[in-house]
Each structure stands twice: as structure tokens, then as C-alpha cells.
Amino acid sequence: EIVLTQSPTTTAASPGEKVTITCLASSSVSDMYWYQQKSGASPKLLIYSTSNLASGVPDRFSGSGSGTSYSLTINTMEAEDAATYYCQQWSSNPLTFGSGTKLEIK
Amino acid sequence: EIQLQESGPGLVKPSQSLSLTCSVTGYTITSGYDWSWIRKFPGNKMEWMGYISNSGSTNYNPSLKIRISITRDTSKNQFFLQLNSVTTEDTATYYCARFGYSEDYFDYWGQGVMVTVSS
């Protein structure tokens, strides 16, 4: 099983600040997917195939990476971005999720 | 509009079976895609449990393989989760979701149902 380790576990950012969340895989994966989950809601797809923005997602979000290291960047933090973020892979069965990063607004 | 809705008991006793239903509207589950169950534990850990494909084949997380069964009722456009011999460690919020046809991601999710395992 591929283990996905996210960092930081928890972080806070001020409006306008740049935020980067990292996802490290225990083995190489071909692509990474990112979800946002707000309190009381189900997860929402943000990024697919490492760097593609899902429909309706603001372009302040971006994804990058390869091999065992991937990242999600929020270019300018907004209050509505406060949520928990998860990476996900299925290069290898079983499908696994990252450990989660809770992002708060300062 | 595609919608998924989980239903089932919110409380299950240890050693019993957990049974949940996912009702899908706006898309026919035999038309395509894979239909998954995912759970989120207290403390944020998320686990993919398994899926049933549009053709009816299944794929389970090996960690659950001896306890899990995912089935469907195509006449009602529903699919089901059964998890046997539950313990308190199965306490979680359970989600059903549609898994991408040509992409490896979940594009539609239910709202989730909280299940507590307790005597």
C-alpha cells in the first residue's frame, strides 16, 4: 500500500498569503488528486491528474509534482479556503488518501 | 443533476453487521463509472473501502476484504455496503461516491452518514 504523508498537519494563513501543502508518497505515483473538505460537507475535487483544475475551482489553486513529491498551492488565501485538504492516489491498489492538512484563516 | 444519498442506521453494536444504502439519482449506475464507499474516521483519516463497477464486478481494499461486501439493486439504482463483525474502530462517517470513468478520482459524493459502533 502506498502511504501518503501530508505536511503540515495543521496550518493557518492570513488573507492574501500564499499557502503550500505537500504530499509525499512512500513509492512513486504517476498522478495526484486533491480534495477540499469544509466542515460538515463532503469532499470536493480541486485538482486532478496532478495539475488540472476541476470545474468551478478558482484559479488561485494549483497543483504540481512528480514521482513521490506533490504539492497543492493556494496563491492568495481567502477566508473561504479554510478547510481540510487531502491528496489521493491510485497508481497502485488500494487507492489511498493522504493524512489530511487542516488550513485555518488567521 | 447527479446526486448520491447514503442511508442506514447510525448506531451498530459490536460484532454485528453494518449495512448502508446509497441511492443515486440523475445517473444510471449501470451506464458507467465505479461506485465506491469511503469512510472518514474521527481524527480525519480517510479510507477507501471498495467499489462496485457499472458491470457489477467488485474491488475491495485488502484491509477489509474478509469483512466487506458491496452489492447493488439496478432496478432501484442503489448500491449497498455490508461490513461484518464491526468493532468500535469502525466508527466513522461513511460516504458513497462516484469514481471517474477514465480518471482516477471521485467526482460526486453523498453527504455522508455517521455510524457509531457501541454497545
Side-chain angles (χ1 to χ4, degrees):
Chain A
E1 170 175 321
I2 292 180
V3 176
L4 302 179
T5 303
Q6 290 181 229
S7 62
T9 302
T10 304
T11 190
S14 301
E17 192 175 340
K18 184 175 183 178
V19 177
T20 299
I21 297 169
T22 298
C23 179
L24 294 182
S26 58
S27 297
S28 182
V29 301
S30 55
D31 271 308
M32 195 64 72
Y33 303 83
W34 291 91
Y35 299 86
Q36 175 194 65
Q37 185 174 31
K38 295 185 179 180
S39 181
S42 53
K44 169 191 169 185
L45 179 71
L46 287 178
I47 301 286
Y48 66 95
S49 300
T50 300
S51 59
N52 296 283
L53 220 55
S55 176
V57 175
D59 62 6
R60 62 180 179 274
F61 289 91
S62 63
S64 64
S66 65
T68 60
S69 182
Y70 293 81
S71 63
L72 171 71
T73 299
I74 306 173
N75 216 33
T76 50
M77 176 76 180
E78 295 194 8
E80 66 180 22
D81 300 334
T84 301
Y85 293 83
Y86 294 93
C87 53
Q88 174 245 302
Q89 68 81 30
W90 204 358
S91 295
S92 170
N93 199 35
L95 183 151
T96 52
F97 290 94
S99 43
T101 295
K102 185 174 183 179
L103 173 61
E104 299 172 330
I105 188 78
K106 280 184 186 174
Chain B
E1 181 188 5
I2 298 169
Q3 292 187 326
L4 292 81
Q5 173 85 48
E6 305 90 348
S7 59
L11 181 64
V12 180
K13 294 187 187 309
S15 80
Q16 294 188 344
S17 293
L18 179 162
S19 296
L20 297 175
T21 298
C22 183
S23 300
V24 180
T25 56
Y27 193 88
T28 302
I29 62 174
T30 56
S31 294
Y33 296 87
D34 299 325
W35 303 88
S36 279
W37 288 97
I38 299 144
R39 60 183 178 176
K40 181 177 177 180
F41 299 99
N44 282 343
K45 179 186 173 184
M46 298 226 352
E47 180 181 60
W48 169 74
M49 303 180 72
Y51 71 67
I52 186 164
S53 74
N54 61 87
S55 65
S57 62
T58 54
N59 183 16
Y60 300 134
N61 191 317
S63 68
L64 297 169
K65 204 162 189 176
I66 61 171
R67 297 199 292 138
I68 190 174
S69 176
I70 298 176
T71 57
R72 65 181 185 174
D73 183 337
T74 57
S75 68
K76 294 182 179 179
N77 214 39
Q78 296 175 327
F79 63 105
F80 311 101
L81 170 70
Q82 181 171 318
L83 187 65
N84 299 322
S85 305
V86 298
T87 71
T88 55
E89 294 189 353
D90 293 307
T91 294
T93 298
Y94 287 76
Y95 297 93
C96 58
R98 189 177 83 163
F99 192 68
Y101 187 69
S102 57
E103 292 277 1
D104 294 340
Y105 59 75
F106 302 97
D107 57 358
Y108 288 92
W109 297 67
Q111 87 286 354
V113 60
M114 176 68 189
V115 178
T116 300
V117 179
S118 175
S119 55

